[in-house]
Every structure is written in structure tokens, then in C-alpha cells.
Amino acid sequence: MRLGRYGIWNSELGGGDASTPGERAEAAQELESLGFRALWLGGSRDVSDAAPLIEATSSLVVATGILSIWQHDAAGVAARHTALSAAHPGRFILGIGASHALLASDYHRPYSSMVDYLDALDAAPTPVPATERVLAALGPKMLRLARDRSAGAHPYLVNPEHTRQARAILGPDALLAPEMKVVLETTADRARPLARAYLSRYLEMPNYTNNFVRLGFSEDDFRDGGSDRLIDTVFAWGDDATIRRRVEEFHDAGADHVALQVVPGPDSAGLPRAGWRRLAELLPQ
């Protein structure tokens, strides 16, 4: 699948109260016209959430980023994947992940449960090919599983150093498509508070903080919504050249594709379409 160097990550486009189906379809069409080739649906989105956006566009690749293994039965997912892929070959990627204990009441043994889920996808009456699925992998074990049993990895809330380490584990051929958050502000006094408010909820999830510890951060970096050091490594903000350079750092570290998430401002409402337009100007495909 041709994803391009940059795509868009957004949780609202998969469905939500802030937009209507028609608005979401129109937004997907605009993303395609702006030159973005891939759209990652944040949250635990199902295959059925991707279908209307694929149907509304002509070439956009849509991925779940990610579908939680605790919320969606593997056999049903496989069946819906087969139907969508048959209707629109090469335009859907099944991104799956083990989510977090705070979000999934059934959460237990995430690695073993992911192996079981992949086994179930393989054993379904209409299996999901490994080449059409990716894993939300952070740690070394899950990255090796992504390498061995999927097309690659879609890590969320990471920095270029994680991308460098992930590429070393995945090898040269697997897809590596990290997510990166962008705050479209030029000054620290405006950008960092927005980023900190957005990051604070993720710092309550051990999967993320444990990953940051592996990357050299400490408990001090997790206080009060995150240290400046942590903010500046997982968010891109600043002038046009700085944002462009920060995104390119992921490619330099080994990413094939970067899924960009526009962080909304305090008064923002609805889909961040103005932000997507600016990113298209900053980062021509």
C-alpha cells in the first residue's frame, strides 16, 4: 500500500458527536485532495468505521489506529475486513492493539492476548493476511511480534529515538508508521501548555510511561503534565522550518510514514481542518 511519507491521525473521523457522517466524508475527501494518502482512525475504531471514508474517496488508505483486541471479536473483524478489502482492494489496514488497563476492563497479559488474537485472525473462516495488519507496538517483545506476524508497527506517543530502536528490531522491510503530535503554535508559552494539557491523560497509563523510562526519561518528567524535555521530544511545535525538521527526524530515524495528529487549541471545535491544510503546505507529499 502506498501510504506516502505523511498521513493524518484523528479520532473524530471514525465517528463521534462533534461531526456528522457527511462532514466526516467531506473531510476525508479534502484530505485526499490535499495530497495525504493515508488516514489513521484513532480510538478503538472498527472496520465498519473505516468503510464510509473509503467509499467517499478514490484512493485514500484508511487504517484503524487502533482497534482494541478487547472490544472486537476476531472472527467478526476478519469477516468485515474481507468484505471491505474485496470491495476496495489495497485501501484498508487493520491496526490492532492491546490498549491499556485504564481503558479495557478485560485487560490482562497483553502480549499473550495479542498472540491469541493474531491466532484467531489467522484461524477465521476468512483470515486477515499478515500483510494487511499492523500492531500498536511499543516494547521490544511486541515489536518483534509485529515483525514476525504483521506488516509492521504503528507506535503511538513516541519520539525519534524510539523509532530508531524500533527500526533496529523490525529490520529493513517491515512498515514503521509512528504517530506524532503537532501543535501549530510558534512560541513555547503557547505551545507547551496546550501540549501539556493533552499529554497529561496519557501519563496516567503505565504502557506509555514505562516506554518513556526505557527511552531514558524518569518520574520527574511525568509530573504536572510532563517536563519541557518530554513535551519537546513527542510534540512538534514552532515555526514552519522547526515543525518540518521535527517530522523529518522520524524519517531520519527509520520511519517509512508518519501519522500526524493536530492537537486542538483550547477553543477549537470540530475537525481540525485548518490545521490539516497548514500541514499540507508545510509537508508536501
Side-chain angles (χ1 to χ4, degrees):
M1 296 182 184
R2 298 181 178 180
L3 303 181
R5 290 174 63 80
Y6 317 103
I8 291 297
W9 190 104
N10 182 265
S11 58
E12 182 61 33
L13 275 172
D17 296 334
S19 60
T20 66
E23 290 170 335
R24 294 192 288 273
E26 182 185 334
Q29 291 167 354
E30 182 179 16
L31 284 176
E32 186 173 59
S33 71
L34 288 171
F36 293 106
R37 299 180 188 175
L39 168 62
W40 300 80
L41 300 181
S44 183
R45 299 302 181 185
D46 189 23
V47 180
S48 57
D49 297 315
L53 305 177
I54 291 175
E55 292 164 358
T57 53
S58 61
S59 61
L60 192 70
V61 175
V62 181
T64 51
I66 49 78
L67 177 150
S68 172
I69 64 173
W70 314 109
Q71 297 178 16
H72 303 277
D73 172 72
V77 167
R80 291 188 291 278
H81 167 275
T82 297
L84 183 57
S85 296
H88 303 279
R91 296 191 53 206
F92 176 68
I93 297 175
L94 178 64
I96 56 179
S99 189
H100 304 269
L102 289 177
L103 303 178
S105 58
D106 295 335
Y107 188 91
H108 67 283
R109 299 170 62 239
Y111 178 83
S112 297
S113 297
M114 178 60 78
V115 171
D116 292 343
Y117 199 87
L118 292 171
D119 289 344
L121 290 177
D122 290 341
T126 54
V128 176
T131 55
E132 297 178 18
R133 63 196 190 200
V134 296
L135 305 190
L138 289 178
K141 285 181 64 177
M142 199 68 81
L143 283 164
R144 287 191 289 269
L145 186 65
R147 176 195 65 200
D148 296 340
R149 300 198 57 186
S150 78
H154 172 53
Y156 186 88
L157 193 62
V158 294
N159 66 357
E161 178 56 31
H162 181 273
T163 296
R164 189 172 293 107
Q165 296 179 17
R167 175 53 71 196
I169 293 171
L170 290 171
D173 299 326
L175 173 69
L176 180 52
E179 175 270 350
M180 184 184 193
K181 296 171 177 56
V182 181
V183 180
L184 293 171
E185 295 287 351
T186 59
T187 62
D189 63 334
R190 291 181 62 86
R192 284 179 180 152
L194 287 174
R196 192 162 280 120
Y198 207 69
L199 181 63
S200 60
R201 55 179 170 155
Y202 294 110
L203 295 180
E204 299 175 0
M205 301 178 185
N207 292 11
Y208 291 130
T209 55
N210 290 341
N211 189 55
F212 287 136
V213 169
R214 285 192 295 267
L215 293 169
F217 293 91
S218 71
E219 291 293 330
D220 290 340
D221 291 299
F222 308 148
R223 296 193 177 99
D224 302 319
S227 66
D228 287 352
R229 173 178 172 240
L230 182 59
I231 292 293
D232 292 349
T233 195
V234 295
F235 290 81
W237 62 269
D239 60 22
D240 291 0
T242 300
I243 291 176
R244 192 179 296 112
R245 175 179 55 80
R246 289 297 325 286
V247 177
E248 286 306 309
E249 288 174 359
F250 279 83
H251 285 293
D252 293 342
D256 300 297
H257 171 89
V258 182
L260 300 166
Q261 178 182 182
V262 174
V263 175
D267 301 321
S268 299
L271 298 167
R273 295 173 67 170
W276 297 340
R277 293 170 195 141
R278 183 173 170 199
L279 285 180
E281 295 174 356
L282 287 175
L283 303 165
Q285 295 277 356

